[in-house]
């Protein structure tokens, strides 16, 4: 038989049992759809987060207290916690133009929680104690009012700048500038509202409230070190450019090691923007592969379904196989026919899965997830080709054994089969 005859025979055989063929296709359709949707979602999240990190600038360096092994999220967040090895004076020391010529600005911060109250509204939220350069270093923009000034930090003023999210929760669409809120029962005057981060990876920052760093230390989070210095949770450092970020990292390390009198392992962690991106991309990439692996299990189940149906088909058509062999059909012809039927099932299911997965991926793009962050998807042509190839491969793999079993039948035994 030529290839055209084999294909026509396979299609005719599948058409004679349309419902069975459709149900067999369903397993492959679900498997391919799951692979396309989950991997597209993972890649979309990865691109979105990478883009947001790059928007912060490639010259941003973060210094956190505690040592780290330099891998993954440990390098990005540092051990922090009770070690608290960084102080406000450490941050100001990094501005020395002689010892650190590659550093142009620093933004230390204190991070704590507080109960915020306005009228009958209240919420628990993150309070950031910051300095006047924080908005420039971390690229914040005051949408209303003003940001914290050097005078506010010097005088430990009771003023606050609200993130867009917490402002909307407490005041709705009204302007909160000039109003008074209470943080852990202490009054603070609102002087500004920050521009929203638009619900992306950094969307949670819209719930933060910023106050002068000295105010946070003396009124909300009074934990001086043994020398009476103000401890900080992290220091954001702005290098002169991305080209000198490596030099800035070395200068920061030299200054802090000298100030902390370190002769062995550092008691702080320095993370450049590039290192943070690599850590996050690595973590999200691993998570995407994990999701794809789970989806691939359903594809494997679909392949087992094809093998099961092909065994049933071979059993039902045993006499047909015997007649064809008696009329001169070769083992190769019988085997090719059943393999072709399995390949048609898996290829058809793969195409339908690609179409359905593509539609779901496009429908999910830009939608809010449970009223929270906006979903972003990225449909990669390489993933679609791979998913289709794997579905065909699974169909062939699980279809070969039933086809071999059919081809090995003896004509006389097949003709006697009832």
């Amino acid at each position: 038989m030529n290839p055209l005859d084999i294909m026509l025979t396979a299609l005719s055989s599948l058409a004679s049992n349309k419902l069975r063929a459709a149900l067999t296709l369903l397993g492959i359709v679900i498997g391919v759809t799951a692979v396309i949707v989950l991997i597209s979602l993972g890649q979309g999240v990865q691109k979105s987060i990478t883009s947001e990190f790059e928007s912060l600038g490639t010259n941003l360096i973060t210094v956190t207290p505690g040592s780290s092994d330099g891998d993954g999220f440990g390098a990005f967040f540092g051990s922090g916690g009770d070690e608290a090895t960084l102080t406000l004076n450490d941050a100001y020391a990094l501005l020395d133009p002689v010892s650190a010529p590659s550093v142009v600005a620093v933004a230390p911060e204190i991070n704590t929680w507080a109960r915020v109250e306005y009228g009958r509204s209240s919420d628990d939220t993150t309070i950031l104690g910051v300095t006047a350069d924080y908005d420039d270093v971390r690229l914040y923009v005051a949408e209303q009012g003003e940001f914290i000034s050097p005078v506010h930090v010097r005088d430990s003023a009771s003023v606050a700048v609200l993130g867009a999210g917490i402002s909307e929760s407490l005041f709705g669409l009204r302007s909160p500038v000039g109003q008074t809120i209470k943080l852990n029962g202490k009054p603070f005057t609102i002087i500004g509202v920050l521009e929203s981060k638009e619900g992306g990876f950094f969307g949670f920052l819209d719930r933060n409230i910023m106050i002068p760093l000295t105010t946070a230390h003396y009124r909300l989070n009074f934990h001086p070190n043994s020398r009476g210095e103000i401890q900080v949770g992290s220091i954001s450092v702005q290098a002169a450019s991305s080209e000198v970020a490596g030099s800035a990292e070395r200068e920061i390390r030299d200054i802090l090691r000298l100030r902390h009198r370190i002769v062995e392992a550092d008691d702080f962690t320095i993370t450049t923007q590039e290192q943070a991106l690599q850590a996050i991309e690595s973590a999200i990439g691993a998570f995407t592969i994990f999701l794809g692996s789970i989806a691939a299990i359903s594809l494997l189940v679909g392949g087992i379904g094809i093998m099961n149906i092909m065994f049933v088909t071979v059993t039902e058509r045993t006499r047909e196989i015997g007649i064809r062999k008696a009329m001169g059909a070769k083992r190769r012809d019988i085997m090719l026919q059943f393999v072709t039927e399995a390949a048609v099932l898996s290829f058809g299911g793969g195409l339908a899965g690609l179409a359905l997965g593509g539609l779901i991926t496009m429908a999910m793009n830009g939608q809010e997830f449970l009223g929270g962050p906006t979903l972003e998807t990225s449909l990669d042509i390489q993933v679609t080709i791979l998913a289709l190839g794997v579905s065909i491969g699974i169909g062939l793999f699980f279809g070969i054994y039933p086809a071999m079993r059919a081809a090995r039948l003896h004509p006389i035994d097949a003709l006697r089969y009832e």
Side-chain angles (χ1 to χ4, degrees):
M1 296 178 69
N2 59 48
L4 181 59
D5 291 335
I6 293 174
M7 178 61 74
L8 291 175
T9 304
L11 292 174
S12 175
S13 175
L14 293 174
S16 63
N17 290 288
K18 295 184 179 65
L19 181 59
R20 179 194 293 177
L23 292 176
T24 307
L25 280 176
L26 197 57
I28 299 295
V29 172
I30 293 173
V32 173
T33 301
V35 169
I36 295 294
V37 171
L38 291 179
I39 292 183
S40 298
L41 186 60
Q43 290 183 332
V45 171
Q46 186 173 14
K47 285 186 177 179
S48 173
I49 293 176
T50 300
S51 175
E52 291 191 43
F53 262 84
E54 289 175 344
S55 69
L56 293 178
T58 54
N59 59 340
L60 182 64
I61 300 171
T62 304
V63 186
T64 49
S67 60
S68 169
D69 58 6
D71 294 326
F73 287 107
F76 183 61
F77 292 106
S79 58
D82 295 334
E83 295 195 38
T85 54
L86 297 177
T87 67
L88 183 59
N89 289 334
D90 287 333
Y92 289 146
L94 300 180
L95 289 173
D96 185 347
V98 177
S99 303
S102 303
V103 174
V104 295
V106 297
E109 68 176 65
I110 292 176
N111 189 317
T112 187
W113 282 82
R115 184 77 173 169
V116 53
E117 299 173 88
Y118 176 76
R120 295 182 178 178
S121 302
S122 63
D123 202 348
D124 292 319
T125 192
T126 301
I127 307 297
L128 296 181
V130 301
T131 57
D133 288 331
Y134 192 83
D135 57 338
D136 291 331
V137 175
R138 300 302 298 265
L139 304 182
Y140 278 99
V141 176
E143 188 176 49
Q144 299 179 41
E146 61 176 331
F147 196 72
I148 293 166
S149 69
V151 175
H152 293 140
V153 177
R154 183 197 64 193
D155 297 343
S156 302
S158 296
V159 296
V161 177
L162 304 187
I166 192 69
S167 173
E168 185 176 351
S169 296
L170 296 175
F171 297 93
L173 299 178
R174 294 173 295 165
S175 173
V177 177
Q179 302 295 321
T180 300
I181 58 174
K182 289 184 178 179
L183 300 179
N184 286 349
K186 300 178 177 65
F188 283 75
T189 302
I190 300 172
I191 60 171
V193 178
L194 297 174
E195 196 173 72
S196 173
K197 293 294 183 181
E198 302 295 343
F201 178 72
F202 295 114
F204 67 93
L205 299 178
D206 286 343
R207 303 288 304 174
N208 292 346
I209 295 177
M210 298 183 188
I211 62 177
L213 187 143
T214 49
T215 309
H217 173 71
Y218 290 114
R219 303 193 65 184
L220 296 180
N221 189 42
F222 187 70
H223 295 296
N225 64 10
S226 57
R227 298 190 298 274
E229 296 177 300
I230 297 177
Q231 295 180 347
V232 297
S234 67
I235 303 172
S236 298
V237 181
Q238 188 178 48
S241 67
S242 58
E243 287 75 18
V244 299
S247 300
E249 180 183 0
R250 289 190 290 274
E251 292 162 5
I252 294 168
R253 175 166 284 104
D254 291 342
I255 291 173
L256 293 182
R257 285 181 65 86
L258 183 62
R259 285 183 54 82
H260 296 184
R261 300 176 181 176
I262 294 174
V263 293
E264 297 181 352
D266 295 340
D267 62 354
F268 54 87
T269 300
I270 302 175
T271 308
T272 64
Q273 197 72 343
E274 182 179 0
Q275 292 169 336
L277 267 174
Q278 288 175 351
I280 289 179
E281 285 180 346
S282 175
I284 296 178
F287 185 64
T288 302
I289 293 174
F290 174 71
L291 290 179
S293 301
I294 293 177
I297 293 175
S298 60
L299 195 57
L300 184 66
V301 173
I304 295 174
I306 288 179
M307 185 169 68
N308 185 43
I309 291 300
M310 293 309 298
F311 273 129
V312 173
T313 302
V314 169
T315 303
E316 289 180 347
R317 293 161 61 186
T318 300
R319 287 180 63 82
E320 175 194 327
I321 295 169
I323 293 172
R324 291 184 59 187
K325 281 200 165 186
M327 294 177 67
K330 299 177 181 177
R331 294 179 61 177
R332 182 189 62 185
D333 298 328
I334 303 297
M335 184 170 176
L336 281 176
Q337 179 186 338
F338 284 96
V339 168
T340 303
E341 288 182 21
V344 169
L345 283 173
S346 58
F347 182 70
L351 283 181
L354 287 183
L356 183 60
L359 289 174
I360 294 176
T361 298
M362 287 189 287
M364 290 172 60
N365 191 34
Q367 301 296 318
E368 288 187 357
F369 179 67
L370 299 177
T374 302
L375 294 176
E376 290 193 31
T377 59
S378 176
L379 187 58
D380 193 332
I381 187 65
Q382 294 179 343
V383 173
T384 60
I385 294 174
L386 179 63
L388 183 60
V390 170
S391 69
I392 295 174
I394 285 178
L396 290 174
F397 178 79
F398 287 103
I400 284 178
Y401 182 64
M404 291 175 61
R405 184 176 173 183
R408 289 173 180 168
L409 286 174
H410 193 280
I412 296 176
D413 294 336
L415 288 171
R416 287 177 177 172
Y417 182 79
E418 295 292 338

